[in-house]
Amino acid sequence: MAPKDNKTGFIKGVRSEWKKIIWPSKEDVLKNLLLVIVISLVLGVFIFALDSFFQFLLSLFI
C-alpha cells in the first residue's frame, strides 16, 4: 500500500508546484526570441569576419 501513497503524493506535489509556475507573456517570449536571433547573427558575422581575416593572413605566407 505504501508505494501507491508515494505515487499519489508525488503527483499531488507535482500539481501543486505546476500551479506556482509563472509563465512568460507572449511579448516577453518574442523579445527574447528576437534577442537570441540578433545575437546569433552578430556573432556569426563576427566569427565569419575573423575567419576570413585569418584565412587572408595565412594566404600571405603560403
Side-chain angles (χ1 to χ4, degrees):
M1 196 77 164
K4 187 175 182 182
D5 291 337
N6 287 341
K7 288 180 185 177
T8 56
F10 176 75
I11 299 292
K12 287 180 182 178
V14 169
R15 285 184 183 164
S16 171
E17 292 299 319
W18 189 266
K19 291 177 183 177
K20 295 179 186 177
I21 296 174
I22 300 172
W23 296 100
S25 67
K26 194 174 187 179
E27 292 81 22
D28 288 339
V29 172
L30 290 175
K31 284 180 191 176
N32 289 335
L33 176 65
L34 184 61
L35 184 63
V36 167
I37 290 171
V38 168
I39 289 174
S40 297
L41 289 174
V42 168
L43 190 59
V45 168
F46 176 73
I47 291 172
F48 174 76
L50 200 60
D51 181 53
S52 297
F53 174 71
F54 284 123
Q55 192 174 19
F56 171 73
L57 285 180
L58 190 60
S59 70
L60 293 177
F61 293 110
I62 295 180

